[in-house]
Amino acid sequence: METAQRVVRRNRLYSRLVSVLVYVSFLLLCYSVWRQNAPDTLTGSWPWKLELLDVQSAATATVGSLGAALARAQYARAVRPALGYFGRVMADMAPGERLAWACSVFNAAQDVAVVEEISYLVVLTARSEDAEEETDWVNREEAERTVVDRGPESRTDFALHAIGVGRPVPAQGVMPLGWFTAAAMAQVRDVFVRVRVTDRVGDTHERVISMLKGADRSARRVDPPMI
């Protein structure tokens, strides 16, 4: 279920429009070259007598639009977010001085990203011979309700942090997703978080994160600092 980061949608104005300009200018160049070399008997009648651009102008338009497309692609790569995540056993999360597994997502790129959508898929552990229970992609409230119905208490045994649309993930910044105690992890096998963010050029990127991947489900001490 966990996936690498991918582009799910590109900005129409800054991506498709530039691509259309490249195709149109290339077609104009082909037409201009063909018309210049076609016999007069053919170019003397409609619609072939119509001259849109001369070869030099069409070539300039093609090179210019192709350069714009390459520049756009290079800039999009430069500002593209780099979404990763990590989990740690931490104290001072759950009440009663209990330890908890906390998961956060970070943006390792050099530019800010903005949350466009966030959804959750909860996988509950099997009860006796029953199969594992898995939800569809749902919002935070429904995911939280699914876990609570199994027994763990919100903000006592686990927490899924409220992350609203438009929440910025700064460059080199961290965004906490939530935490789970041993009592909660006994009922929950995994929680997948689908994070979609928009970069500076308007492209939308998606990463599916496994919050409990590698989780220490019976932690006895706090993990050391990462830095």
mmCIF file of all heavy atoms in Angstrom, residues 13-60:
data_model
loop_
_atom_site.group_PDB
_atom_site.id
_atom_site.type_symbol
_atom_site.label_atom_id
_atom_site.label_comp_id
_atom_site.label_asym_id
_atom_site.label_seq_id
_atom_site.Cartn_x
_atom_site.Cartn_y
_atom_site.Cartn_z
ATOM 1 N N LEU A 13 -2.484 25.392 -16.878
ATOM 2 C CA LEU A 13 -2.015 26.605 -17.533
ATOM 3 C C LEU A 13 -0.526 26.529 -17.833
ATOM 4 O O LEU A 13 -0.088 26.849 -18.938
ATOM 5 C CB LEU A 13 -2.320 27.815 -16.656
ATOM 6 C CG LEU A 13 -1.826 29.169 -17.179
ATOM 7 C CD1 LEU A 13 -2.482 29.491 -18.515
ATOM 8 C CD2 LEU A 13 -2.113 30.277 -16.165
ATOM 9 N N TYR A 14 0.265 26.105 -16.841
ATOM 10 C CA TYR A 14 1.716 26.128 -16.994
ATOM 11 C C TYR A 14 2.287 24.840 -17.566
ATOM 12 O O TYR A 14 3.494 24.741 -17.749
ATOM 13 C CB TYR A 14 2.375 26.416 -15.646
ATOM 14 C CG TYR A 14 2.011 27.757 -15.084
ATOM 15 C CD1 TYR A 14 1.333 27.873 -13.882
ATOM 16 C CD2 TYR A 14 2.330 28.931 -15.775
ATOM 17 C CE1 TYR A 14 0.983 29.110 -13.374
ATOM 18 C CE2 TYR A 14 1.981 30.165 -15.281
ATOM 19 C CZ TYR A 14 1.312 30.257 -14.072
ATOM 20 O OH TYR A 14 0.964 31.476 -13.568
ATOM 21 N N SER A 15 1.455 23.861 -17.825
ATOM 22 C CA SER A 15 1.956 22.614 -18.386
ATOM 23 C C SER A 15 1.315 22.313 -19.739
ATOM 24 O O SER A 15 2.005 22.236 -20.766
ATOM 25 C CB SER A 15 1.682 21.459 -17.415
ATOM 26 O OG SER A 15 2.109 20.244 -17.955
ATOM 27 N N ARG A 16 -0.010 22.168 -19.764
ATOM 28 C CA ARG A 16 -0.676 21.800 -21.007
ATOM 29 C C ARG A 16 -0.615 22.899 -22.047
ATOM 30 O O ARG A 16 -0.461 22.623 -23.240
ATOM 31 C CB ARG A 16 -2.124 21.425 -20.712
ATOM 32 C CG ARG A 16 -2.263 20.190 -19.826
ATOM 33 C CD ARG A 16 -3.712 19.795 -19.630
ATOM 34 N NE ARG A 16 -3.838 18.639 -18.751
ATOM 35 C CZ ARG A 16 -4.990 18.086 -18.395
ATOM 36 N NH1 ARG A 16 -6.126 18.598 -18.870
ATOM 37 N NH2 ARG A 16 -5.022 17.044 -17.601
ATOM 38 N N LEU A 17 -0.736 24.154 -21.603
ATOM 39 C CA LEU A 17 -0.686 25.257 -22.559
ATOM 40 C C LEU A 17 0.668 25.306 -23.251
ATOM 41 O O LEU A 17 0.743 25.498 -24.477
ATOM 42 C CB LEU A 17 -0.968 26.576 -21.852
ATOM 43 C CG LEU A 17 -0.916 27.833 -22.721
ATOM 44 C CD1 LEU A 17 -1.923 27.736 -23.856
ATOM 45 C CD2 LEU A 17 -1.150 29.082 -21.885
ATOM 46 N N VAL A 18 1.737 25.118 -22.491
ATOM 47 C CA VAL A 18 3.075 25.127 -23.088
ATOM 48 C C VAL A 18 3.230 23.967 -24.058
ATOM 49 O O VAL A 18 3.800 24.117 -25.147
ATOM 50 C CB VAL A 18 4.148 25.069 -21.983
ATOM 51 C CG1 VAL A 18 5.539 24.948 -22.590
ATOM 52 C CG2 VAL A 18 4.078 26.309 -21.104
ATOM 53 N N SER A 19 2.700 22.793 -23.686
ATOM 54 C CA SER A 19 2.783 21.634 -24.588
ATOM 55 C C SER A 19 2.007 21.885 -25.875
ATOM 56 O O SER A 19 2.462 21.531 -26.975
ATOM 57 C CB SER A 19 2.241 20.391 -23.882
ATOM 58 O OG SER A 19 3.002 20.080 -22.727
ATOM 59 N N VAL A 20 0.835 22.494 -25.767
ATOM 60 C CA VAL A 20 0.034 22.804 -26.956
ATOM 61 C C VAL A 20 0.787 23.774 -27.868
ATOM 62 O O VAL A 20 0.795 23.617 -29.102
ATOM 63 C CB VAL A 20 -1.328 23.390 -26.543
ATOM 64 C CG1 VAL A 20 -2.056 23.972 -27.755
ATOM 65 C CG2 VAL A 20 -2.193 22.316 -25.892
ATOM 66 N N LEU A 21 1.461 24.746 -27.281
ATOM 67 C CA LEU A 21 2.230 25.704 -28.085
ATOM 68 C C LEU A 21 3.356 25.008 -28.835
ATOM 69 O O LEU A 21 3.640 25.354 -29.991
ATOM 70 C CB LEU A 21 2.792 26.805 -27.187
ATOM 71 C CG LEU A 21 1.769 27.784 -26.598
ATOM 72 C CD1 LEU A 21 2.463 28.760 -25.658
ATOM 73 C CD2 LEU A 21 1.045 28.543 -27.700
ATOM 74 N N VAL A 22 3.990 24.036 -28.220
ATOM 75 C CA VAL A 22 5.055 23.291 -28.896
ATOM 76 C C VAL A 22 4.490 22.539 -30.098
ATOM 77 O O VAL A 22 5.045 22.585 -31.198
ATOM 78 C CB VAL A 22 5.738 22.311 -27.916
ATOM 79 C CG1 VAL A 22 6.715 21.396 -28.663
ATOM 80 C CG2 VAL A 22 6.467 23.073 -26.828
ATOM 81 N N TYR A 23 3.362 21.841 -29.898
ATOM 82 C CA TYR A 23 2.760 21.079 -30.993
ATOM 83 C C TYR A 23 2.305 21.992 -32.133
ATOM 84 O O TYR A 23 2.525 21.693 -33.316
ATOM 85 C CB TYR A 23 1.575 20.262 -30.477
ATOM 86 C CG TYR A 23 1.952 19.197 -29.487
ATOM 87 C CD1 TYR A 23 1.169 18.947 -28.371
ATOM 88 C CD2 TYR A 23 3.109 18.436 -29.657
ATOM 89 C CE1 TYR A 23 1.515 17.967 -27.441
ATOM 90 C CE2 TYR A 23 3.470 17.465 -28.742
ATOM 91 C CZ TYR A 23 2.677 17.232 -27.645
ATOM 92 O OH TYR A 23 3.026 16.266 -26.738
ATOM 93 N N VAL A 24 1.648 23.098 -31.786
ATOM 94 C CA VAL A 24 1.136 24.007 -32.824
ATOM 95 C C VAL A 24 2.282 24.619 -33.617
ATOM 96 O O VAL A 24 2.241 24.695 -34.855
ATOM 97 C CB VAL A 24 0.264 25.098 -32.173
ATOM 98 C CG1 VAL A 24 -0.086 26.183 -33.198
ATOM 99 C CG2 VAL A 24 -1.017 24.498 -31.606
ATOM 100 N N SER A 25 3.307 25.089 -32.928
ATOM 101 C CA SER A 25 4.437 25.706 -33.629
ATOM 102 C C SER A 25 5.162 24.688 -34.510
ATOM 103 O O SER A 25 5.622 25.031 -35.611
ATOM 104 C CB SER A 25 5.395 26.334 -32.617
ATOM 105 O OG SER A 25 5.898 25.361 -31.713
ATOM 106 N N PHE A 26 5.260 23.442 -34.046
ATOM 107 C CA PHE A 26 5.903 22.407 -34.872
ATOM 108 C C PHE A 26 5.075 22.121 -36.122
ATOM 109 O O PHE A 26 5.622 21.944 -37.220
ATOM 110 C CB PHE A 26 6.095 21.138 -34.051
ATOM 111 C CG PHE A 26 6.778 20.028 -34.801
ATOM 112 C CD1 PHE A 26 8.129 20.102 -35.084
ATOM 113 C CD2 PHE A 26 6.060 18.928 -35.236
ATOM 114 C CE1 PHE A 26 8.765 19.087 -35.800
ATOM 115 C CE2 PHE A 26 6.685 17.908 -35.938
ATOM 116 C CZ PHE A 26 8.044 17.993 -36.225
ATOM 117 N N LEU A 27 3.753 22.076 -35.988
ATOM 118 C CA LEU A 27 2.892 21.869 -37.146
ATOM 119 C C LEU A 27 3.012 23.035 -38.126
ATOM 120 O O LEU A 27 3.031 22.829 -39.359
ATOM 121 C CB LEU A 27 1.442 21.696 -36.693
ATOM 122 C CG LEU A 27 1.105 20.394 -35.961
ATOM 123 C CD1 LEU A 27 -0.336 20.409 -35.478
ATOM 124 C CD2 LEU A 27 1.347 19.193 -36.879
ATOM 125 N N LEU A 28 3.095 24.251 -37.603
ATOM 126 C CA LEU A 28 3.274 25.416 -38.475
ATOM 127 C C LEU A 28 4.596 25.335 -39.222
ATOM 128 O O LEU A 28 4.674 25.703 -40.410
ATOM 129 C CB LEU A 28 3.212 26.701 -37.649
ATOM 130 C CG LEU A 28 1.834 27.123 -37.149
ATOM 131 C CD1 LEU A 28 1.952 28.330 -36.228
ATOM 132 C CD2 LEU A 28 0.906 27.443 -38.329
ATOM 133 N N LEU A 29 5.641 24.860 -38.541
ATOM 134 C CA LEU A 29 6.936 24.727 -39.198
ATOM 135 C C LEU A 29 6.862 23.686 -40.318
ATOM 136 O O LEU A 29 7.376 23.913 -41.420
ATOM 137 C CB LEU A 29 7.988 24.320 -38.168
ATOM 138 C CG LEU A 29 9.402 24.051 -38.716
ATOM 139 C CD1 LEU A 29 9.969 25.296 -39.390
ATOM 140 C CD2 LEU A 29 10.329 23.576 -37.587
ATOM 141 N N CYS A 30 6.235 22.555 -40.035
ATOM 142 C CA CYS A 30 6.090 21.518 -41.069
ATOM 143 C C CYS A 30 5.296 22.051 -42.266
ATOM 144 O O CYS A 30 5.653 21.804 -43.445
ATOM 145 C CB CYS A 30 5.409 20.285 -40.485
ATOM 146 S SG CYS A 30 6.406 19.403 -39.256
ATOM 147 N N TYR A 31 4.216 22.776 -41.979
ATOM 148 C CA TYR A 31 3.396 23.323 -43.071
ATOM 149 C C TYR A 31 4.185 24.336 -43.887
ATOM 150 O O TYR A 31 4.110 24.348 -45.128
ATOM 151 C CB TYR A 31 2.147 23.960 -42.490
ATOM 152 C CG TYR A 31 1.263 24.636 -43.524
ATOM 153 C CD1 TYR A 31 0.440 23.882 -44.356
ATOM 154 C CD2 TYR A 31 1.278 26.016 -43.685
ATOM 155 C CE1 TYR A 31 -0.357 24.500 -45.313
ATOM 156 C CE2 TYR A 31 0.492 26.638 -44.623
ATOM 157 C CZ TYR A 31 -0.327 25.884 -45.444
ATOM 158 O OH TYR A 31 -1.112 26.486 -46.394
ATOM 159 N N SER A 32 4.956 25.187 -43.212
ATOM 160 C CA SER A 32 5.721 26.215 -43.917
ATOM 161 C C SER A 32 6.797 25.598 -44.801
ATOM 162 O O SER A 32 7.013 26.047 -45.941
ATOM 163 C CB SER A 32 6.359 27.175 -42.894
ATOM 164 O OG SER A 32 5.372 27.817 -42.119
ATOM 165 N N VAL A 33 7.486 24.567 -44.280
ATOM 166 C CA VAL A 33 8.514 23.901 -45.080
ATOM 167 C C VAL A 33 7.880 23.200 -46.286
ATOM 168 O O VAL A 33 8.395 23.265 -47.410
ATOM 169 C CB VAL A 33 9.296 22.905 -44.208
ATOM 170 C CG1 VAL A 33 10.233 22.051 -45.067
ATOM 171 C CG2 VAL A 33 10.098 23.644 -43.147
ATOM 172 N N TRP A 34 6.770 22.524 -46.042
ATOM 173 C CA TRP A 34 6.092 21.829 -47.149
ATOM 174 C C TRP A 34 5.612 22.813 -48.205
ATOM 175 O O TRP A 34 5.781 22.583 -49.406
ATOM 176 C CB TRP A 34 4.911 21.032 -46.606
ATOM 177 C CG TRP A 34 4.077 20.416 -47.702
ATOM 178 C CD1 TRP A 34 4.286 19.227 -48.339
ATOM 179 C CD2 TRP A 34 2.918 20.999 -48.310
ATOM 180 N NE1 TRP A 34 3.335 19.016 -49.307
ATOM 181 C CE2 TRP A 34 2.476 20.094 -49.315
ATOM 182 C CE3 TRP A 34 2.216 22.185 -48.109
ATOM 183 C CZ2 TRP A 34 1.365 20.347 -50.094
ATOM 184 C CZ3 TRP A 34 1.108 22.439 -48.901
ATOM 185 C CH2 TRP A 34 0.682 21.528 -49.870
ATOM 186 N N ARG A 35 5.028 23.937 -47.769
ATOM 187 C CA ARG A 35 4.469 24.905 -48.715
ATOM 188 C C ARG A 35 5.567 25.554 -49.543
ATOM 189 O O ARG A 35 5.382 25.838 -50.732
ATOM 190 C CB ARG A 35 3.683 25.974 -47.956
ATOM 191 C CG ARG A 35 2.891 26.910 -48.857
ATOM 192 C CD ARG A 35 2.114 27.925 -48.056
ATOM 193 N NE ARG A 35 1.333 28.768 -48.945
ATOM 194 C CZ ARG A 35 1.841 29.779 -49.656
ATOM 195 N NH1 ARG A 35 3.136 30.062 -49.559
ATOM 196 N NH2 ARG A 35 1.068 30.485 -50.458
ATOM 197 N N GLN A 36 6.715 25.772 -48.917
ATOM 198 C CA GLN A 36 7.814 26.399 -49.644
ATOM 199 C C GLN A 36 8.353 25.491 -50.743
ATOM 200 O O GLN A 36 8.848 25.974 -51.777
ATOM 201 C CB GLN A 36 8.935 26.764 -48.670
ATOM 202 C CG GLN A 36 10.141 27.442 -49.321
ATOM 203 C CD GLN A 36 11.144 27.934 -48.300
ATOM 204 O OE1 GLN A 36 10.781 28.529 -47.305
ATOM 205 N NE2 GLN A 36 12.424 27.669 -48.559
ATOM 206 N N ASN A 37 8.254 24.188 -50.543
ATOM 207 C CA ASN A 37 8.796 23.236 -51.505
ATOM 208 C C ASN A 37 7.726 22.609 -52.397
ATOM 209 O O ASN A 37 8.049 21.786 -53.267
ATOM 210 C CB ASN A 37 9.548 22.127 -50.777
ATOM 211 C CG ASN A 37 10.803 22.633 -50.091
ATOM 212 O OD1 ASN A 37 11.858 22.780 -50.708
ATOM 213 N ND2 ASN A 37 10.685 22.918 -48.793
ATOM 214 N N ALA A 38 6.473 22.945 -52.169
ATOM 215 C CA ALA A 38 5.392 22.394 -52.986
ATOM 216 C C ALA A 38 5.337 23.082 -54.347
ATOM 217 O O ALA A 38 5.743 24.245 -54.492
ATOM 218 C CB ALA A 38 4.059 22.563 -52.262
ATOM 219 N N PRO A 39 4.832 22.432 -55.386
ATOM 220 C CA PRO A 39 4.739 23.063 -56.722
ATOM 221 C C PRO A 39 3.738 24.220 -56.714
ATOM 222 O O PRO A 39 2.765 24.219 -55.958
ATOM 223 C CB PRO A 39 4.284 21.905 -57.614
ATOM 224 C CG PRO A 39 3.633 20.919 -56.689
ATOM 225 C CD PRO A 39 4.378 21.035 -55.397
ATOM 226 N N ASP A 40 3.996 25.179 -57.601
ATOM 227 C CA ASP A 40 3.138 26.363 -57.675
ATOM 228 C C ASP A 40 1.712 26.004 -58.067
ATOM 229 O O ASP A 40 0.758 26.698 -57.683
ATOM 230 C CB ASP A 40 3.723 27.373 -58.670
ATOM 231 C CG ASP A 40 5.059 27.933 -58.189
ATOM 232 O OD1 ASP A 40 5.313 27.857 -56.965
ATOM 233 O OD2 ASP A 40 5.832 28.420 -59.021
ATOM 234 N N THR A 41 1.568 24.968 -58.825
ATOM 235 C CA THR A 41 0.225 24.580 -59.254
ATOM 236 C C THR A 41 -0.645 24.169 -58.065
ATOM 237 O O THR A 41 -1.875 24.281 -58.103
ATOM 238 C CB THR A 41 0.298 23.400 -60.234
ATOM 239 O OG1 THR A 41 1.041 22.331 -59.626
ATOM 240 C CG2 THR A 41 1.001 23.826 -61.525
ATOM 241 N N LEU A 42 0.014 23.689 -56.987
ATOM 242 C CA LEU A 42 -0.723 23.272 -55.803
ATOM 243 C C LEU A 42 -0.930 24.416 -54.833
ATOM 244 O O LEU A 42 -2.017 24.597 -54.284
ATOM 245 C CB LEU A 42 0.011 22.119 -55.105
ATOM 246 C CG LEU A 42 -0.705 21.484 -53.909
ATOM 247 C CD1 LEU A 42 -2.046 20.877 -54.352
ATOM 248 C CD2 LEU A 42 0.168 20.391 -53.271
ATOM 249 N N THR A 43 0.109 25.241 -54.655
ATOM 250 C CA THR A 43 0.008 26.342 -53.697
ATOM 251 C C THR A 43 -0.752 27.536 -54.255
ATOM 252 O O THR A 43 -0.991 28.506 -53.536
ATOM 253 C CB THR A 43 1.418 26.797 -53.265
ATOM 254 O OG1 THR A 43 2.176 27.181 -54.436
ATOM 255 C CG2 THR A 43 2.148 25.681 -52.529
ATOM 256 N N GLY A 44 -1.136 27.453 -55.493
ATOM 257 C CA GLY A 44 -1.897 28.555 -56.073
ATOM 258 C C GLY A 44 -3.374 28.462 -55.828
ATOM 259 O O GLY A 44 -4.138 29.363 -56.198
ATOM 260 N N SER A 45 -3.827 27.382 -55.228
ATOM 261 C CA SER A 45 -5.257 27.208 -54.964
ATOM 262 C C SER A 45 -5.490 27.050 -53.463
ATOM 263 O O SER A 45 -4.579 26.706 -52.697
ATOM 264 C CB SER A 45 -5.777 25.969 -55.714
ATOM 265 O OG SER A 45 -5.068 24.800 -55.297
ATOM 266 N N TRP A 46 -6.737 27.286 -53.039
ATOM 267 C CA TRP A 46 -7.103 27.127 -51.631
ATOM 268 C C TRP A 46 -7.242 25.644 -51.272
ATOM 269 O O TRP A 46 -7.657 24.843 -52.117
ATOM 270 C CB TRP A 46 -8.428 27.848 -51.339
ATOM 271 C CG TRP A 46 -8.273 29.340 -51.331
ATOM 272 C CD1 TRP A 46 -8.495 30.203 -52.365
ATOM 273 C CD2 TRP A 46 -7.844 30.123 -50.224
ATOM 274 N NE1 TRP A 46 -8.244 31.481 -51.990
ATOM 275 C CE2 TRP A 46 -7.843 31.480 -50.671
ATOM 276 C CE3 TRP A 46 -7.464 29.856 -48.909
ATOM 277 C CZ2 TRP A 46 -7.466 32.541 -49.845
ATOM 278 C CZ3 TRP A 46 -7.094 30.899 -48.091
ATOM 279 C CH2 TRP A 46 -7.096 32.222 -48.555
ATOM 280 N N PRO A 47 -6.922 25.257 -50.034
ATOM 281 C CA PRO A 47 -6.456 26.114 -48.935
ATOM 282 C C PRO A 47 -4.947 26.268 -48.880
ATOM 283 O O PRO A 47 -4.421 26.948 -47.997
ATOM 284 C CB PRO A 47 -6.944 25.348 -47.702
ATOM 285 C CG PRO A 47 -6.819 23.914 -48.097
ATOM 286 C CD PRO A 47 -7.172 23.869 -49.561
ATOM 287 N N TRP A 48 -4.226 25.661 -49.885
ATOM 288 C CA TRP A 48 -2.773 25.636 -49.786
ATOM 289 C C TRP A 48 -2.127 26.980 -50.118
ATOM 290 O O TRP A 48 -0.937 27.161 -49.833
ATOM 291 C CB TRP A 48 -2.228 24.554 -50.716
ATOM 292 C CG TRP A 48 -2.934 23.258 -50.555
ATOM 293 C CD1 TRP A 48 -3.667 22.585 -51.470
ATOM 294 C CD2 TRP A 48 -3.010 22.479 -49.358
ATOM 295 N NE1 TRP A 48 -4.202 21.444 -50.954
ATOM 296 C CE2 TRP A 48 -3.814 21.353 -49.641
ATOM 297 C CE3 TRP A 48 -2.496 22.622 -48.064
ATOM 298 C CZ2 TRP A 48 -4.106 20.390 -48.688
ATOM 299 C CZ3 TRP A 48 -2.773 21.658 -47.117
ATOM 300 C CH2 TRP A 48 -3.570 20.549 -47.427
ATOM 301 N N LYS A 49 -2.876 27.894 -50.720
ATOM 302 C CA LYS A 49 -2.301 29.208 -50.991
ATOM 303 C C LYS A 49 -2.205 30.069 -49.725
ATOM 304 O O LYS A 49 -1.574 31.118 -49.745
ATOM 305 C CB LYS A 49 -3.148 29.927 -52.046
ATOM 306 C CG LYS A 49 -4.529 30.335 -51.573
ATOM 307 C CD LYS A 49 -5.328 30.979 -52.697
ATOM 308 C CE LYS A 49 -4.651 32.229 -53.209
ATOM 309 N NZ LYS A 49 -5.444 32.915 -54.264
ATOM 310 N N LEU A 50 -2.824 29.600 -48.651
ATOM 311 C CA LEU A 50 -2.779 30.348 -47.400
ATOM 312 C C LEU A 50 -1.393 30.215 -46.762
ATOM 313 O O LEU A 50 -0.934 29.115 -46.458
ATOM 314 C CB LEU A 50 -3.842 29.832 -46.430
ATOM 315 C CG LEU A 50 -3.869 30.485 -45.043
ATOM 316 C CD1 LEU A 50 -4.224 31.964 -45.154
ATOM 317 C CD2 LEU A 50 -4.874 29.774 -44.136
ATOM 318 N N GLU A 51 -0.725 31.323 -46.565
ATOM 319 C CA GLU A 51 0.594 31.334 -45.930
ATOM 320 C C GLU A 51 0.456 31.844 -44.500
ATOM 321 O O GLU A 51 0.131 33.014 -44.279
ATOM 322 C CB GLU A 51 1.568 32.213 -46.710
ATOM 323 C CG GLU A 51 2.969 32.212 -46.110
ATOM 324 C CD GLU A 51 3.954 33.044 -46.910
ATOM 325 O OE1 GLU A 51 3.527 33.648 -47.918
ATOM 326 O OE2 GLU A 51 5.125 33.091 -46.535
ATOM 327 N N LEU A 52 0.684 30.963 -43.546
ATOM 328 C CA LEU A 52 0.548 31.339 -42.135
ATOM 329 C C LEU A 52 1.801 32.028 -41.612
ATOM 330 O O LEU A 52 1.742 33.126 -41.065
ATOM 331 C CB LEU A 52 0.236 30.091 -41.302
ATOM 332 C CG LEU A 52 -1.061 29.364 -41.662
ATOM 333 C CD1 LEU A 52 -1.187 28.072 -40.871
ATOM 334 C CD2 LEU A 52 -2.269 30.264 -41.406
ATOM 335 N N LEU A 53 2.938 31.355 -41.770
ATOM 336 C CA LEU A 53 4.225 31.912 -41.365
ATOM 337 C C LEU A 53 5.272 31.496 -42.382
ATOM 338 O O LEU A 53 5.157 30.444 -43.010
ATOM 339 C CB LEU A 53 4.642 31.398 -39.974
ATOM 340 C CG LEU A 53 3.859 31.879 -38.748
ATOM 341 C CD1 LEU A 53 4.363 31.138 -37.508
ATOM 342 C CD2 LEU A 53 3.989 33.376 -38.551
ATOM 343 N N ASP A 54 6.301 32.314 -42.502
ATOM 344 C CA ASP A 54 7.428 31.865 -43.318
ATOM 345 C C ASP A 54 8.253 30.875 -42.497
ATOM 346 O O ASP A 54 8.063 30.737 -41.286
ATOM 347 C CB ASP A 54 8.278 33.048 -43.782
ATOM 348 C CG ASP A 54 8.802 33.870 -42.615
ATOM 349 O OD1 ASP A 54 9.551 33.312 -41.770
ATOM 350 O OD2 ASP A 54 8.463 35.068 -42.534
ATOM 351 N N VAL A 55 9.165 30.182 -43.170
ATOM 352 C CA VAL A 55 9.923 29.123 -42.504
ATOM 353 C C VAL A 55 10.733 29.666 -41.335
ATOM 354 O O VAL A 55 10.798 29.046 -40.261
ATOM 355 C CB VAL A 55 10.845 28.409 -43.521
ATOM 356 C CG1 VAL A 55 11.729 27.386 -42.814
ATOM 357 C CG2 VAL A 55 10.022 27.739 -44.600
ATOM 358 N N GLN A 56 11.356 30.812 -41.486
ATOM 359 C CA GLN A 56 12.190 31.367 -40.422
ATOM 360 C C GLN A 56 11.357 31.705 -39.188
ATOM 361 O O GLN A 56 11.744 31.391 -38.052
ATOM 362 C CB GLN A 56 12.915 32.613 -40.925
ATOM 363 C CG GLN A 56 13.860 33.212 -39.880
ATOM 364 C CD GLN A 56 14.626 34.411 -40.422
ATOM 365 O OE1 GLN A 56 14.470 34.802 -41.582
ATOM 366 N NE2 GLN A 56 15.470 34.993 -39.586
ATOM 367 N N SER A 57 10.192 32.310 -39.392
ATOM 368 C CA SER A 57 9.333 32.663 -38.257
ATOM 369 C C SER A 57 8.795 31.411 -37.557
ATOM 370 O O SER A 57 8.733 31.342 -36.326
ATOM 371 C CB SER A 57 8.178 33.538 -38.727
ATOM 372 O OG SER A 57 8.656 34.745 -39.275
ATOM 373 N N ALA A 58 8.414 30.408 -38.366
ATOM 374 C CA ALA A 58 7.906 29.171 -37.781
ATOM 375 C C ALA A 58 8.991 28.446 -36.990
ATOM 376 O O ALA A 58 8.732 27.879 -35.922
ATOM 377 C CB ALA A 58 7.361 28.266 -38.879
ATOM 378 N N ALA A 59 10.229 28.452 -37.508
ATOM 379 C CA ALA A 59 11.340 27.821 -36.789
ATOM 380 C C ALA A 59 11.612 28.550 -35.474
ATOM 381 O O ALA A 59 11.877 27.925 -34.440
ATOM 382 C CB ALA A 59 12.588 27.805 -37.661
ATOM 383 N N THR A 60 11.543 29.878 -35.504
ATOM 384 C CA THR A 60 11.748 30.653 -34.278
ATOM 385 C C THR A 60 10.675 30.342 -33.243
ATOM 386 O O THR A 60 10.968 30.189 -32.050
ATOM 387 C CB THR A 60 11.744 32.156 -34.607
ATOM 388 O OG1 THR A 60 12.777 32.445 -35.543
ATOM 389 C CG2 THR A 60 11.960 32.979 -33.349
#
